[in-house]
Amino acid sequence: MKIAYLGPKGSFSHHVVQTAFPQEELQAFANITDVIKAYEQGLVDYSVVPVENSIEGSVHESLDYLFHQARIQAVAEIVQPIHQQLMAVSGQSKIEKIFSHPQALAQGKKFIEEHYPEAKLEVTASTAYAARFIAEHPDQPFAAIAPRNSAREYGLELIAEDIQEMEANFTRFWVLGPEIPTIPLQSQTEKMSLALTLPDNLPGALYKALSTFAWRGIDLTKIESRPLKTALGEYFFIIDVDYSAQELVHFARQELEAIGIQYKILGTYPIFTITYIEKESQ
């Protein structure tokens, strides 16, 4: 079985697929869109993409593509604790540029301002790309913010550990595919993610949409608006629904249809969490 992920090796995505699919063939791709397309084109059996970070919010590239273009759904969610490390080539004491993914740079902003206020920040496609890049330029005064695995993968030295501003830092990853795979982690609750499109001629449409879940006692764990990309001021809404009462959710969806609210199911999935011990052992 082949699994697509956002590479290269040493990224948080790489750690997630290593943990969830320890015996399978892993294939890295350069960006999230290519990861999703790999499944659509039949190149892999599953694709794994990040969808939300607890500090920086949603990963719009994933959600927008899944809503606007893809016809696939999330079949599992994996929650990865995020611990950012500052690393450089061994013996490098002068740091003039720090490379990383935008979210990692944001998560380490306070630490960088305190300890490397003159360093320039350079954006890369992923944290692991940053680590690989500075490893390929050992004579340059570069550093990277990346996972601990990246330091091991590319032979780098940790300059500072756990530099993220908040300890409670997690990223949600969706496994996209035909059915729930076997994942060697303990599952928790089950959720459904929906993307709602509201009609223009329905006053209080968002209130009515949310009410279909509220009066049935169905918990919503997330609500977010995204541009519909049709006209200024038009949006679709992403909601995450507690799916433990499946029959009630089914009736809520029927009511949405009855009042003219269209929706797309982005996924129905169990939630798996990688523990800190599991993370550090890899």
Side-chain angles (χ1 to χ4, degrees):
M1 192 161 65
K2 297 179 180 179
I3 314 297
Y5 70 96
L6 178 62
K9 292 181 178 180
S11 64
F12 285 113
S13 294
H14 183 224
H15 179 260
V16 167
V17 294
Q18 278 184 314
T19 304
F21 302 96
Q23 305 300 324
E24 309 302 339
E25 180 181 344
L26 310 180
Q27 295 188 5
F29 290 84
N31 58 67
I32 290 171
T33 299
D34 286 346
V35 174
I36 301 174
K37 285 183 176 180
Y39 175 79
E40 291 181 312
Q41 296 169 358
L43 302 177
V44 297
D45 299 284
Y46 289 92
S47 289
V48 178
V49 295
V51 292
E52 184 180 21
N53 176 261
S54 58
I55 296 177
E56 294 301 310
S58 293
V59 181
H60 296 150
E61 183 179 355
S62 297
L63 296 175
D64 286 355
Y65 189 90
L66 290 172
F67 174 74
H68 289 287
Q69 301 182 58
R71 295 184 178 274
I72 55 179
Q73 295 185 9
V75 294
E77 177 175 291
I78 303 172
V79 180
Q80 164 73 64
I82 302 299
H83 297 266
Q84 303 286 8
Q85 322 298 329
L86 184 66
M87 58 193 67
V89 174
S90 181
Q92 181 62 263
S93 58
K94 187 177 181 181
I95 303 300
E96 295 180 359
K97 288 186 178 181
I98 298 176
F99 295 78
S100 198
H101 185 273
Q103 287 194 346
L105 292 172
Q107 291 162 13
K109 182 179 179 181
K110 183 176 180 180
F111 178 89
I112 295 171
E113 289 177 346
E114 290 179 358
H115 296 87
Y116 300 94
E118 303 300 323
K120 295 181 179 179
L121 305 183
E122 298 286 345
V123 172
T124 58
S126 75
T127 53
Y129 274 117
R132 187 174 73 178
F133 178 80
I134 68 169
E136 293 172 347
H137 298 80
D139 57 333
Q140 297 297 316
F142 295 162
I145 300 176
R148 190 181 303 273
N149 282 356
S150 292
R152 299 182 185 131
E153 185 72 34
Y154 301 110
L156 300 173
E157 179 182 352
L158 295 183
I159 300 175
E161 301 183 46
D162 296 344
I163 68 170
Q164 68 279 353
E165 291 187 26
M166 298 177 65
E167 182 63 27
N169 187 1
F170 300 86
T171 295
R172 300 167 60 202
F173 290 81
W174 277 356
V175 179
L176 309 174
E179 59 187 7
I180 300 174
T182 300
I183 294 177
L185 295 169
Q186 185 175 359
S187 64
Q188 301 169 350
T189 57
E190 190 171 3
K191 290 194 299 187
M192 174 182 282
S193 292
L194 301 170
L196 309 181
T197 305
L198 308 180
D200 294 333
N201 60 349
L202 181 63
L206 180 58
Y207 170 80
K208 291 176 180 177
L210 300 181
S211 294
T212 64
F213 299 96
W215 76 262
R216 291 182 171 89
I218 302 170
D219 287 338
L220 299 184
T221 59
K222 172 183 177 176
I223 177 169
E224 177 184 3
S225 63
R226 292 292 301 146
L228 199 52
K229 299 183 179 181
T230 53
L232 186 65
E234 294 186 352
Y235 301 89
F236 69 96
F237 294 84
I238 299 170
I239 62 172
D240 288 350
V241 180
D242 182 352
Y243 199 53
S244 57
Q246 297 183 13
E247 188 174 13
L248 289 178
V249 175
H250 173 71
F251 290 142
R253 288 166 50 198
Q254 287 184 322
E255 185 175 344
L256 288 177
E257 296 169 2
I259 60 178
I261 295 175
Q262 298 179 342
Y263 64 85
K264 179 177 183 179
I265 299 176
L266 300 179
T268 303
Y269 47 86
I271 303 169
F272 302 87
T273 299
I274 299 175
T275 68
Y276 184 79
I277 293 176
E278 288 163 341
K279 172 183 181 295
E280 290 299 315
S281 68
Q282 296 294 319

